[in-house]
Amino acid sequence: MKELDVRGLSCPMPLMHTKKAIDGDPAEILVLADSGTAKANVVALLQDSGYTVTIAEDASEYRITGVRR
Amino acid sequence: MSQGNPGNMGLCIACFLRDITGFFVGGSTNQAAVAYIRPEIVGIILGALAAALVTREFRPRGGSQPVVRFVLGFIFMVGALIFLGCTVRAWLRLGGGDLSALWGIAGIVAGVIIGVVFLKRGFNLGRAKAVARPLGWLLPAVAVVLLVFALVSAYGAKPGWATVTPENARAVVPGQVVVAPDGDGLKVLKPADGNGDPTASIVDGAVVADDGTVLADAGKVAATKPMPGGKRAALWVSLIAGLAIGVVAQRSRFCSIGGIRDAILVRRYDLLFGVIGLLIGATVVNLMLGQYVVGFEGQPVAHNDALGSFAAMTVATFAAVLLGGCPFRQVIMGAEGDADSFVAVVGMLVGAGATHFYNLASSPLGLAENAWPALGVMAAILVAVALAGSRKTA
């Protein structure tokens, strides 16, 4: 599984990194994010790119998992 | 804006932050015309805070190059005040039919393109980390303090050191002769003696000094428009509108530069729709209210210096791209607990004071004398920051 850590990065880095990662067409991808904006952007990008997304959330971060549909 | 705020300003973050600076230090920064705690800003911060708390998106964070962020906020503000509007107001000006805003919007596009070049080279300011909880509450705390000052000034006694542009006051001769509405007529606010009592009066519409000198004839007085800081909606209307805008902006992640940036950089158009929606909305509202006036010349709080508008907005937008979001976003993120964004907002506030102190702000007449050298220096600093700030993050 492709893993990506975009915690603490300003816009548009979370989106850029995720875009780059899915250009490699991984079957499964995990993105760690820590802001609501990054989460929303990454989730929308993954969904539009053909991934089914699940989000786990704890006090400090979002674990966004995308599985290729 | 239909409620009394300045023309095509509606929601100009740069202008409103500048007015807040004017309240605190306006006496020493030549900001008498632009001094008022804009309740919209207080509302936006508290609205975004509430939305972030409810959705558990309030997370105290910071430590990503705060000093650089201060400088970028500062530069953004100076650029915006040379254009006469931030990256939000550029769209609102266009939505009011102000075609001179097109030069600024061309500058926004140019600033984004330059910023994207550096983003692609790997520019970023490094990762923010979780910080102690109180640091996340800096901007909300400031909002509460501002609200207290706004209420005290409106309903009690304005502190002696503070500056508030009198409601609908008109600078007939800027800094020297100022009048304000008084019932059906006008009253003189300046010139005044040490006690604040006017030393001139209105005679047949003209301003006449006590010694009989005509300071401004009736035609000149009649032709003068109210100063931006004196045009305002009612405090509660502004505050509640701000709260609503804060909630919507926090949820929608609205960003006035992110739309073009993401469209160019990653072919994402979500944010662009927000900006286009704002433009269409402003146009429709202005048409409905009969405020839509198409043209380049004589637009409210604007000048038609094409090259100056273009360059100023290029500089401001470049700074905003390096910051990771427009000033509106910085305010929202500050309300979400981002201490770095708080620092950027402080940079903007200080930048506003400096712009007026050094007489760099434009007026409807055009650019200030030193605007071009200032833009040159700021552009050089931005390129230096952009070149120095490339690091690997993935």
Side-chain angles (χ1 to χ4, degrees), chain A residues 5-12 15-17 19 34 36-37 40 44-45 48 57-62, chain B residues 56-57 59 61 69 119-120 123-124 126-128 253 261-262 265-266 268 270 323-324 329 393-394:
Chain A
D5 181 1
V6 300
R7 288 176 298 177
L9 294 177
S10 303
C11 279
L15 214 42
M16 286 175 73
H17 287 321
K19 175 104 176 160
D34 66 351
T37 305
L45 174 61
D48 291 350
E57 179 186 344
D58 66 28
S60 64
E61 65 191 38
Y62 303 97
Chain B
R56 284 174 300 158
E57 287 187 3
R59 285 161 192 235
R61 54 187 185 268
R69 285 176 192 270
L119 288 173
K120 282 193 168 163
F123 173 84
N124 69 88
R127 288 177 194 270
R253 338 270 178 201
R261 179 197 64 203
D262 290 356
L265 193 61
V266 282
R268 302 287 302 172
D270 331 29
L323 270 176
R329 276 298 295 163
T393 49

mmCIF file of all heavy atoms in Angstrom, chain A residues 5-12 15-17 19 34 36-37 40 44-45 48 57-62, chain B residues 56-57 59 61 69 119-120 123-124 126-128 253 261-262 265-266 268 270 323-324 329 393-394:
data_model
loop_
_atom_site.group_PDB
_atom_site.id
_atom_site.type_symbol
_atom_site.label_atom_id
_atom_site.label_comp_id
_atom_site.label_asym_id
_atom_site.label_seq_id
_atom_site.Cartn_x
_atom_site.Cartn_y
_atom_site.Cartn_z
ATOM 1 N N ASP A 5 2.330 11.081 3.959
ATOM 2 C CA ASP A 5 2.114 11.892 5.151
ATOM 3 C C ASP A 5 2.073 13.364 4.749
ATOM 4 O O ASP A 5 3.093 13.940 4.388
ATOM 5 C CB ASP A 5 3.249 11.637 6.158
ATOM 6 C CG ASP A 5 3.067 12.431 7.438
ATOM 7 O OD1 ASP A 5 2.063 13.162 7.542
ATOM 8 O OD2 ASP A 5 3.931 12.321 8.325
ATOM 9 N N VAL A 6 0.895 13.959 4.789
ATOM 10 C CA VAL A 6 0.790 15.380 4.421
ATOM 11 C C VAL A 6 0.467 16.232 5.647
ATOM 12 O O VAL A 6 0.026 17.368 5.520
ATOM 13 C CB VAL A 6 -0.270 15.614 3.316
ATOM 14 C CG1 VAL A 6 0.099 14.835 2.069
ATOM 15 C CG2 VAL A 6 -1.665 15.236 3.790
ATOM 16 N N ARG A 7 0.728 15.691 6.821
ATOM 17 C CA ARG A 7 0.409 16.441 8.043
ATOM 18 C C ARG A 7 1.233 17.731 8.129
ATOM 19 O O ARG A 7 2.432 17.723 7.866
ATOM 20 C CB ARG A 7 0.686 15.576 9.278
ATOM 21 C CG ARG A 7 -0.333 14.459 9.455
ATOM 22 C CD ARG A 7 0.015 13.565 10.605
ATOM 23 N NE ARG A 7 1.297 12.898 10.380
ATOM 24 C CZ ARG A 7 1.873 12.091 11.272
ATOM 25 N NH1 ARG A 7 1.306 11.865 12.433
ATOM 26 N NH2 ARG A 7 3.029 11.536 10.988
ATOM 27 N N GLY A 8 0.583 18.790 8.508
ATOM 28 C CA GLY A 8 1.281 20.057 8.737
ATOM 29 C C GLY A 8 1.632 20.836 7.486
ATOM 30 O O GLY A 8 2.216 21.905 7.573
ATOM 31 N N LEU A 9 1.277 20.313 6.318
ATOM 32 C CA LEU A 9 1.634 21.019 5.082
ATOM 33 C C LEU A 9 0.543 22.011 4.689
ATOM 34 O O LEU A 9 -0.643 21.745 4.829
ATOM 35 C CB LEU A 9 1.858 20.016 3.951
ATOM 36 C CG LEU A 9 3.051 19.081 4.130
ATOM 37 C CD1 LEU A 9 3.112 18.084 2.969
ATOM 38 C CD2 LEU A 9 4.355 19.864 4.219
ATOM 39 N N SER A 10 1.003 23.195 4.194
ATOM 40 C CA SER A 10 0.056 24.213 3.727
ATOM 41 C C SER A 10 -0.498 23.799 2.368
ATOM 42 O O SER A 10 0.109 23.025 1.637
ATOM 43 C CB SER A 10 0.765 25.562 3.573
ATOM 44 O OG SER A 10 1.364 25.958 4.773
ATOM 45 N N CYS A 11 -1.638 24.402 2.032
ATOM 46 C CA CYS A 11 -2.165 24.246 0.686
ATOM 47 C C CYS A 11 -1.127 24.768 -0.299
ATOM 48 O O CYS A 11 -0.475 25.771 -0.008
ATOM 49 C CB CYS A 11 -3.449 25.075 0.509
ATOM 50 S SG CYS A 11 -4.898 24.268 1.178
ATOM 51 N N PRO A 12 -0.986 24.214 -1.464
ATOM 52 C CA PRO A 12 -1.702 23.045 -1.982
ATOM 53 C C PRO A 12 -0.873 21.755 -1.879
ATOM 54 O O PRO A 12 -1.104 20.841 -2.650
ATOM 55 C CB PRO A 12 -1.882 23.426 -3.450
ATOM 56 C CG PRO A 12 -0.611 24.149 -3.774
ATOM 57 C CD PRO A 12 -0.153 24.823 -2.504
ATOM 58 N N LEU A 15 -2.584 18.246 -1.702
ATOM 59 C CA LEU A 15 -3.189 17.875 -2.973
ATOM 60 C C LEU A 15 -2.118 17.469 -3.988
ATOM 61 O O LEU A 15 -2.259 16.470 -4.698
ATOM 62 C CB LEU A 15 -3.988 19.087 -3.482
ATOM 63 C CG LEU A 15 -5.258 18.853 -4.263
ATOM 64 C CD1 LEU A 15 -6.095 17.741 -3.671
ATOM 65 C CD2 LEU A 15 -6.056 20.139 -4.324
ATOM 66 N N MET A 16 -1.030 18.251 -4.040
ATOM 67 C CA MET A 16 0.053 17.947 -4.993
ATOM 68 C C MET A 16 0.644 16.569 -4.726
ATOM 69 O O MET A 16 0.870 15.774 -5.642
ATOM 70 C CB MET A 16 1.157 19.007 -4.884
ATOM 71 C CG MET A 16 0.810 20.349 -5.495
ATOM 72 S SD MET A 16 2.103 21.570 -5.182
ATOM 73 C CE MET A 16 3.397 20.993 -6.290
ATOM 74 N N HIS A 17 0.918 16.298 -3.435
ATOM 75 C CA HIS A 17 1.550 15.015 -3.099
ATOM 76 C C HIS A 17 0.619 13.842 -3.407
ATOM 77 O O HIS A 17 1.062 12.812 -3.923
ATOM 78 C CB HIS A 17 1.947 14.988 -1.620
ATOM 79 C CG HIS A 17 3.133 15.855 -1.312
ATOM 80 N ND1 HIS A 17 4.214 15.951 -2.152
ATOM 81 C CD2 HIS A 17 3.428 16.660 -0.250
ATOM 82 C CE1 HIS A 17 5.113 16.789 -1.646
ATOM 83 N NE2 HIS A 17 4.652 17.245 -0.490
ATOM 84 N N LYS A 19 -1.832 13.794 -5.568
ATOM 85 C CA LYS A 19 -1.961 13.686 -7.028
ATOM 86 C C LYS A 19 -0.777 12.903 -7.604
ATOM 87 O O LYS A 19 -0.942 12.007 -8.433
ATOM 88 C CB LYS A 19 -2.008 15.094 -7.617
ATOM 89 C CG LYS A 19 -2.012 15.143 -9.122
ATOM 90 C CD LYS A 19 -3.381 15.449 -9.654
ATOM 91 C CE LYS A 19 -3.339 15.587 -11.172
ATOM 92 N NZ LYS A 19 -4.656 15.409 -11.757
ATOM 93 N N ASP A 34 -3.793 16.307 8.833
ATOM 94 C CA ASP A 34 -4.173 16.800 10.153
ATOM 95 C C ASP A 34 -5.010 18.066 10.106
ATOM 96 O O ASP A 34 -5.291 18.667 11.131
ATOM 97 C CB ASP A 34 -2.936 16.997 11.042
ATOM 98 C CG ASP A 34 -2.042 18.098 10.536
ATOM 99 O OD1 ASP A 34 -2.274 18.589 9.421
ATOM 100 O OD2 ASP A 34 -1.088 18.454 11.253
ATOM 101 N N GLY A 36 -8.686 19.865 8.445
ATOM 102 C CA GLY A 36 -9.951 19.578 7.789
ATOM 103 C C GLY A 36 -9.887 19.884 6.298
ATOM 104 O O GLY A 36 -10.458 19.177 5.475
ATOM 105 N N THR A 37 -9.161 20.956 5.962
ATOM 106 C CA THR A 37 -9.047 21.349 4.563
ATOM 107 C C THR A 37 -8.299 20.288 3.765
ATOM 108 O O THR A 37 -8.738 19.878 2.687
ATOM 109 C CB THR A 37 -8.312 22.698 4.460
ATOM 110 O OG1 THR A 37 -9.002 23.634 5.279
ATOM 111 C CG2 THR A 37 -8.271 23.175 3.038
ATOM 112 N N ALA A 40 -10.510 17.250 3.313
ATOM 113 C CA ALA A 40 -11.565 17.446 2.314
ATOM 114 C C ALA A 40 -10.998 17.398 0.898
ATOM 115 O O ALA A 40 -11.556 16.754 0.004
ATOM 116 C CB ALA A 40 -12.264 18.777 2.556
ATOM 117 N N ALA A 44 -11.765 14.369 -1.821
ATOM 118 C CA ALA A 44 -12.421 14.687 -3.096
ATOM 119 C C ALA A 44 -11.579 14.218 -4.274
ATOM 120 O O ALA A 44 -12.092 13.647 -5.245
ATOM 121 C CB ALA A 44 -12.680 16.194 -3.193
ATOM 122 N N LEU A 45 -10.261 14.435 -4.169
ATOM 123 C CA LEU A 45 -9.372 14.022 -5.265
ATOM 124 C C LEU A 45 -9.397 12.505 -5.445
ATOM 125 O O LEU A 45 -9.505 11.991 -6.561
ATOM 126 C CB LEU A 45 -7.940 14.504 -4.985
ATOM 127 C CG LEU A 45 -6.865 14.024 -5.964
ATOM 128 C CD1 LEU A 45 -7.156 14.504 -7.385
ATOM 129 C CD2 LEU A 45 -5.480 14.508 -5.533
ATOM 130 N N ASP A 48 -12.704 11.334 -6.947
ATOM 131 C CA ASP A 48 -12.806 11.653 -8.378
ATOM 132 C C ASP A 48 -11.832 10.833 -9.213
ATOM 133 O O ASP A 48 -11.949 10.785 -10.434
ATOM 134 C CB ASP A 48 -12.530 13.148 -8.602
ATOM 135 C CG ASP A 48 -13.638 14.009 -8.037
ATOM 136 O OD1 ASP A 48 -14.676 13.438 -7.655
ATOM 137 O OD2 ASP A 48 -13.463 15.238 -7.968
ATOM 138 N N GLU A 57 -10.570 8.825 12.225
ATOM 139 C CA GLU A 57 -10.174 10.112 12.800
ATOM 140 C C GLU A 57 -9.843 9.935 14.269
ATOM 141 O O GLU A 57 -10.568 9.260 15.001
ATOM 142 C CB GLU A 57 -11.349 11.089 12.642
ATOM 143 C CG GLU A 57 -11.085 12.460 13.209
ATOM 144 C CD GLU A 57 -12.335 13.341 13.150
ATOM 145 O OE1 GLU A 57 -13.276 13.000 12.427
ATOM 146 O OE2 GLU A 57 -12.345 14.360 13.847
ATOM 147 N N ASP A 58 -8.713 10.492 14.712
ATOM 148 C CA ASP A 58 -8.487 10.580 16.149
ATOM 149 C C ASP A 58 -8.169 12.030 16.497
ATOM 150 O O ASP A 58 -8.318 12.912 15.652
ATOM 151 C CB ASP A 58 -7.406 9.596 16.618
ATOM 152 C CG ASP A 58 -6.033 9.947 16.055
ATOM 153 O OD1 ASP A 58 -5.779 11.131 15.774
ATOM 154 O OD2 ASP A 58 -5.211 9.020 15.900
ATOM 155 N N ALA A 59 -7.748 12.256 17.723
ATOM 156 C CA ALA A 59 -7.599 13.630 18.193
ATOM 157 C C ALA A 59 -6.588 14.425 17.362
ATOM 158 O O ALA A 59 -6.700 15.639 17.256
ATOM 159 C CB ALA A 59 -7.188 13.625 19.659
ATOM 160 N N SER A 60 -5.593 13.768 16.775
ATOM 161 C CA SER A 60 -4.522 14.524 16.137
ATOM 162 C C SER A 60 -4.486 14.386 14.621
ATOM 163 O O SER A 60 -3.830 15.177 13.952
ATOM 164 C CB SER A 60 -3.169 14.115 16.721
ATOM 165 O OG SER A 60 -2.915 12.762 16.429
ATOM 166 N N GLU A 61 -5.147 13.398 14.050
ATOM 167 C CA GLU A 61 -5.008 13.249 12.600
ATOM 168 C C GLU A 61 -6.170 12.488 11.969
ATOM 169 O O GLU A 61 -6.976 11.843 12.657
ATOM 170 C CB GLU A 61 -3.699 12.523 12.279
ATOM 171 C CG GLU A 61 -3.679 11.097 12.789
ATOM 172 C CD GLU A 61 -2.290 10.468 12.713
ATOM 173 O OE1 GLU A 61 -1.313 11.191 12.967
ATOM 174 O OE2 GLU A 61 -2.211 9.279 12.387
ATOM 175 N N TYR A 62 -6.206 12.598 10.637
ATOM 176 C CA TYR A 62 -7.140 11.808 9.837
ATOM 177 C C TYR A 62 -6.327 10.767 9.074
ATOM 178 O O TYR A 62 -5.295 11.089 8.494
ATOM 179 C CB TYR A 62 -7.868 12.683 8.813
ATOM 180 C CG TYR A 62 -8.621 13.858 9.402
ATOM 181 C CD1 TYR A 62 -8.054 15.123 9.439
ATOM 182 C CD2 TYR A 62 -9.909 13.698 9.904
ATOM 183 C CE1 TYR A 62 -8.742 16.194 9.970
ATOM 184 C CE2 TYR A 62 -10.610 14.772 10.430
ATOM 185 C CZ TYR A 62 -10.020 16.023 10.457
ATOM 186 O OH TYR A 62 -10.703 17.092 10.972
ATOM 187 N N ARG B 56 -15.123 19.435 14.772
ATOM 188 C CA ARG B 56 -13.854 18.953 15.347
ATOM 189 C C ARG B 56 -12.672 19.233 14.411
ATOM 190 O O ARG B 56 -11.756 18.436 14.292
ATOM 191 C CB ARG B 56 -13.949 17.461 15.671
ATOM 192 C CG ARG B 56 -14.773 17.194 16.947
ATOM 193 C CD ARG B 56 -14.974 15.728 17.155
ATOM 194 N NE ARG B 56 -15.680 15.166 16.014
ATOM 195 C CZ ARG B 56 -15.656 13.893 15.662
ATOM 196 N NH1 ARG B 56 -14.942 13.050 16.346
ATOM 197 N NH2 ARG B 56 -16.326 13.473 14.613
ATOM 198 N N GLU B 57 -12.727 20.362 13.737
ATOM 199 C CA GLU B 57 -11.590 20.730 12.881
ATOM 200 C C GLU B 57 -10.741 21.811 13.535
ATOM 201 O O GLU B 57 -9.792 22.323 12.938
ATOM 202 C CB GLU B 57 -12.095 21.200 11.504
ATOM 203 C CG GLU B 57 -12.609 20.046 10.671
ATOM 204 C CD GLU B 57 -12.964 20.437 9.249
ATOM 205 O OE1 GLU B 57 -12.764 21.606 8.869
ATOM 206 O OE2 GLU B 57 -13.445 19.564 8.519
ATOM 207 N N ARG B 59 -7.911 22.709 15.480
ATOM 208 C CA ARG B 59 -6.695 22.024 15.921
ATOM 209 C C ARG B 59 -5.558 23.028 16.043
ATOM 210 O O ARG B 59 -5.054 23.519 15.035
ATOM 211 C CB ARG B 59 -6.316 20.936 14.907
ATOM 212 C CG ARG B 59 -7.229 19.741 15.034
ATOM 213 C CD ARG B 59 -7.226 18.863 13.826
ATOM 214 N NE ARG B 59 -8.349 17.928 13.966
ATOM 215 C CZ ARG B 59 -8.223 16.611 13.914
ATOM 216 N NH1 ARG B 59 -7.065 16.061 13.701
ATOM 217 N NH2 ARG B 59 -9.280 15.850 14.079
ATOM 218 N N ARG B 61 -2.221 24.464 15.855
ATOM 219 C CA ARG B 61 -1.036 24.038 15.128
ATOM 220 C C ARG B 61 -0.217 25.258 14.775
ATOM 221 O O ARG B 61 -0.724 26.393 14.797
ATOM 222 C CB ARG B 61 -1.430 23.261 13.874
ATOM 223 C CG ARG B 61 -2.401 24.008 12.967
ATOM 224 C CD ARG B 61 -2.898 23.125 11.834
ATOM 225 N NE ARG B 61 -3.726 23.874 10.898
ATOM 226 C CZ ARG B 61 -5.054 23.964 10.984
ATOM 227 N NH1 ARG B 61 -5.700 23.373 11.969
ATOM 228 N NH2 ARG B 61 -5.736 24.661 10.090
ATOM 229 N N ARG B 69 6.095 33.991 7.379
ATOM 230 C CA ARG B 69 4.658 34.209 7.166
ATOM 231 C C ARG B 69 4.257 35.636 7.528
ATOM 232 O O ARG B 69 3.389 36.228 6.893
ATOM 233 C CB ARG B 69 3.842 33.191 7.973
ATOM 234 C CG ARG B 69 3.883 31.811 7.329
ATOM 235 C CD ARG B 69 3.176 30.761 8.142
ATOM 236 N NE ARG B 69 3.472 29.433 7.640
ATOM 237 C CZ ARG B 69 2.755 28.808 6.700
ATOM 238 N NH1 ARG B 69 1.706 29.385 6.184
ATOM 239 N NH2 ARG B 69 3.099 27.606 6.281
ATOM 240 N N LEU B 119 6.114 26.478 -6.548
ATOM 241 C CA LEU B 119 5.535 25.299 -5.891
ATOM 242 C C LEU B 119 6.002 24.037 -6.594
ATOM 243 O O LEU B 119 6.333 23.034 -5.961
ATOM 244 C CB LEU B 119 4.001 25.373 -5.908
ATOM 245 C CG LEU B 119 3.338 26.390 -4.984
ATOM 246 C CD1 LEU B 119 1.839 26.447 -5.244
ATOM 247 C CD2 LEU B 119 3.591 26.052 -3.523
ATOM 248 N N LYS B 120 6.060 24.086 -7.915
ATOM 249 C CA LYS B 120 6.498 22.913 -8.666
ATOM 250 C C LYS B 120 7.972 22.614 -8.429
ATOM 251 O O LYS B 120 8.402 21.467 -8.493
ATOM 252 C CB LYS B 120 6.241 23.123 -10.169
ATOM 253 C CG LYS B 120 4.788 22.906 -10.545
ATOM 254 C CD LYS B 120 4.618 22.801 -12.053
ATOM 255 C CE LYS B 120 3.234 22.290 -12.403
ATOM 256 N NZ LYS B 120 2.893 22.539 -13.806
ATOM 257 N N PHE B 123 8.766 24.498 -3.565
ATOM 258 C CA PHE B 123 8.649 25.481 -2.486
ATOM 259 C C PHE B 123 7.580 25.088 -1.482
ATOM 260 O O PHE B 123 6.462 24.733 -1.841
ATOM 261 C CB PHE B 123 8.296 26.865 -3.029
ATOM 262 C CG PHE B 123 8.011 27.849 -1.922
ATOM 263 C CD1 PHE B 123 9.058 28.506 -1.309
ATOM 264 C CD2 PHE B 123 6.721 28.042 -1.451
ATOM 265 C CE1 PHE B 123 8.805 29.376 -0.256
ATOM 266 C CE2 PHE B 123 6.475 28.904 -0.396
ATOM 267 C CZ PHE B 123 7.515 29.574 0.208
ATOM 268 N N ASN B 124 7.942 25.114 -0.213
ATOM 269 C CA ASN B 124 6.937 25.108 0.851
ATOM 270 C C ASN B 124 7.595 25.611 2.116
ATOM 271 O O ASN B 124 8.815 25.711 2.202
ATOM 272 C CB ASN B 124 6.325 23.720 1.041
ATOM 273 C CG ASN B 124 7.310 22.758 1.609
ATOM 274 O OD1 ASN B 124 7.454 22.639 2.812
ATOM 275 N ND2 ASN B 124 8.047 22.049 0.735
ATOM 276 N N GLY B 126 7.497 24.293 5.060
ATOM 277 C CA GLY B 126 7.754 23.276 6.082
ATOM 278 C C GLY B 126 6.500 22.909 6.829
ATOM 279 O O GLY B 126 5.473 23.576 6.738
ATOM 280 N N ARG B 127 6.601 21.839 7.592
ATOM 281 C CA ARG B 127 5.416 21.316 8.264
ATOM 282 C C ARG B 127 5.080 22.094 9.537
ATOM 283 O O ARG B 127 5.973 22.444 10.295
ATOM 284 C CB ARG B 127 5.632 19.859 8.648
ATOM 285 C CG ARG B 127 5.627 18.899 7.485
ATOM 286 C CD ARG B 127 5.915 17.490 7.969
ATOM 287 N NE ARG B 127 6.241 16.626 6.846
ATOM 288 C CZ ARG B 127 5.330 15.929 6.155
ATOM 289 N NH1 ARG B 127 4.059 15.997 6.486
ATOM 290 N NH2 ARG B 127 5.693 15.168 5.147
ATOM 291 N N ALA B 128 3.797 22.317 9.735
ATOM 292 C CA ALA B 128 3.326 22.815 11.031
ATOM 293 C C ALA B 128 3.156 21.611 11.949
ATOM 294 O O ALA B 128 2.969 20.488 11.492
ATOM 295 C CB ALA B 128 1.988 23.538 10.853
ATOM 296 N N ARG B 253 -14.194 26.075 2.472
ATOM 297 C CA ARG B 253 -12.751 26.292 2.221
ATOM 298 C C ARG B 253 -12.536 27.337 1.141
ATOM 299 O O ARG B 253 -11.560 27.268 0.392
ATOM 300 C CB ARG B 253 -12.009 25.005 1.816
ATOM 301 C CG ARG B 253 -12.672 23.726 2.236
ATOM 302 C CD ARG B 253 -12.196 23.295 3.580
ATOM 303 N NE ARG B 253 -12.874 22.071 4.002
ATOM 304 C CZ ARG B 253 -12.967 21.673 5.256
ATOM 305 N NH1 ARG B 253 -12.437 22.413 6.207
ATOM 306 N NH2 ARG B 253 -13.565 20.576 5.573
ATOM 307 N N ARG B 261 -5.117 28.609 -8.707
ATOM 308 C CA ARG B 261 -3.924 27.809 -8.403
ATOM 309 C C ARG B 261 -4.187 26.321 -8.633
ATOM 310 O O ARG B 261 -3.443 25.656 -9.360
ATOM 311 C CB ARG B 261 -3.515 28.026 -6.939
ATOM 312 C CG ARG B 261 -2.297 27.213 -6.519
ATOM 313 C CD ARG B 261 -2.209 27.151 -4.998
ATOM 314 N NE ARG B 261 -3.363 26.445 -4.440
ATOM 315 C CZ ARG B 261 -3.799 26.592 -3.191
ATOM 316 N NH1 ARG B 261 -3.208 27.415 -2.369
ATOM 317 N NH2 ARG B 261 -4.834 25.902 -2.759
ATOM 318 N N ASP B 262 -5.262 25.806 -8.052
ATOM 319 C CA ASP B 262 -5.529 24.374 -8.172
ATOM 320 C C ASP B 262 -5.904 23.981 -9.596
ATOM 321 O O ASP B 262 -5.603 22.873 -10.048
ATOM 322 C CB ASP B 262 -6.635 23.949 -7.195
ATOM 323 C CG ASP B 262 -6.152 23.990 -5.752
ATOM 324 O OD1 ASP B 262 -4.948 24.264 -5.547
ATOM 325 O OD2 ASP B 262 -6.960 23.751 -4.838
ATOM 326 N N LEU B 265 -2.483 23.896 -11.305
ATOM 327 C CA LEU B 265 -1.491 22.989 -10.718
ATOM 328 C C LEU B 265 -1.946 21.540 -10.748
ATOM 329 O O LEU B 265 -1.176 20.653 -11.120
ATOM 330 C CB LEU B 265 -1.225 23.434 -9.273
ATOM 331 C CG LEU B 265 -0.026 22.851 -8.548
ATOM 332 C CD1 LEU B 265 1.254 23.222 -9.277
ATOM 333 C CD2 LEU B 265 0.020 23.401 -7.128
ATOM 334 N N VAL B 266 -3.160 21.287 -10.310
ATOM 335 C CA VAL B 266 -3.599 19.899 -10.184
ATOM 336 C C VAL B 266 -4.928 19.632 -10.896
ATOM 337 O O VAL B 266 -5.559 18.615 -10.671
ATOM 338 C CB VAL B 266 -3.720 19.486 -8.689
ATOM 339 C CG1 VAL B 266 -2.362 19.191 -8.102
ATOM 340 C CG2 VAL B 266 -4.422 20.555 -7.867
ATOM 341 N N ARG B 268 -7.826 20.803 -10.447
ATOM 342 C CA ARG B 268 -8.985 20.675 -9.550
ATOM 343 C C ARG B 268 -9.760 21.979 -9.637
ATOM 344 O O ARG B 268 -9.167 23.054 -9.536
ATOM 345 C CB ARG B 268 -8.547 20.431 -8.100
ATOM 346 C CG ARG B 268 -7.696 19.209 -7.912
ATOM 347 C CD ARG B 268 -8.472 17.928 -8.030
ATOM 348 N NE ARG B 268 -9.582 17.865 -7.062
ATOM 349 C CZ ARG B 268 -10.501 16.910 -7.073
ATOM 350 N NH1 ARG B 268 -10.479 15.981 -7.993
ATOM 351 N NH2 ARG B 268 -11.454 16.900 -6.173
ATOM 352 N N ASP B 270 -12.801 22.729 -7.872
ATOM 353 C CA ASP B 270 -13.771 23.000 -6.796
ATOM 354 C C ASP B 270 -13.694 24.450 -6.318
ATOM 355 O O ASP B 270 -14.693 25.150 -6.208
ATOM 356 C CB ASP B 270 -13.563 22.099 -5.574
ATOM 357 C CG ASP B 270 -12.961 20.748 -5.903
ATOM 358 O OD1 ASP B 270 -12.201 20.649 -6.899
ATOM 359 O OD2 ASP B 270 -13.223 19.797 -5.151
ATOM 360 N N LEU B 323 2.046 31.791 0.922
ATOM 361 C CA LEU B 323 1.435 31.578 2.240
ATOM 362 C C LEU B 323 0.530 30.350 2.251
ATOM 363 O O LEU B 323 0.203 29.820 3.315
ATOM 364 C CB LEU B 323 0.579 32.793 2.627
ATOM 365 C CG LEU B 323 1.223 33.923 3.393
ATOM 366 C CD1 LEU B 323 0.220 35.052 3.570
ATOM 367 C CD2 LEU B 323 1.719 33.469 4.745
ATOM 368 N N GLY B 324 0.075 29.930 1.082
ATOM 369 C CA GLY B 324 -0.813 28.778 1.007
ATOM 370 C C GLY B 324 -2.278 29.155 1.028
ATOM 371 O O GLY B 324 -3.144 28.302 1.205
ATOM 372 N N ARG B 329 -8.607 33.197 3.630
ATOM 373 C CA ARG B 329 -8.270 31.861 4.136
ATOM 374 C C ARG B 329 -7.405 31.963 5.393
ATOM 375 O O ARG B 329 -7.533 31.159 6.312
ATOM 376 C CB ARG B 329 -7.499 31.055 3.078
ATOM 377 C CG ARG B 329 -8.357 30.365 2.071
ATOM 378 C CD ARG B 329 -9.277 29.333 2.678
ATOM 379 N NE ARG B 329 -8.605 28.196 3.277
ATOM 380 C CZ ARG B 329 -9.191 27.359 4.137
ATOM 381 N NH1 ARG B 329 -10.438 27.547 4.504
ATOM 382 N NH2 ARG B 329 -8.531 26.352 4.635
ATOM 383 N N THR B 393 9.385 17.346 0.990
ATOM 384 C CA THR B 393 8.440 16.988 2.047
ATOM 385 C C THR B 393 7.845 15.607 1.810
ATOM 386 O O THR B 393 7.071 15.125 2.600
ATOM 387 C CB THR B 393 7.282 17.999 2.126
ATOM 388 O OG1 THR B 393 6.770 18.194 0.818
ATOM 389 C CG2 THR B 393 7.740 19.297 2.715
ATOM 390 N N ALA B 394 8.187 14.988 0.692
ATOM 391 C CA ALA B 394 7.658 13.643 0.454
ATOM 392 C C ALA B 394 8.631 12.845 -0.395
ATOM 393 O O ALA B 394 9.501 13.411 -1.035
ATOM 394 C CB ALA B 394 6.317 13.716 -0.250
#
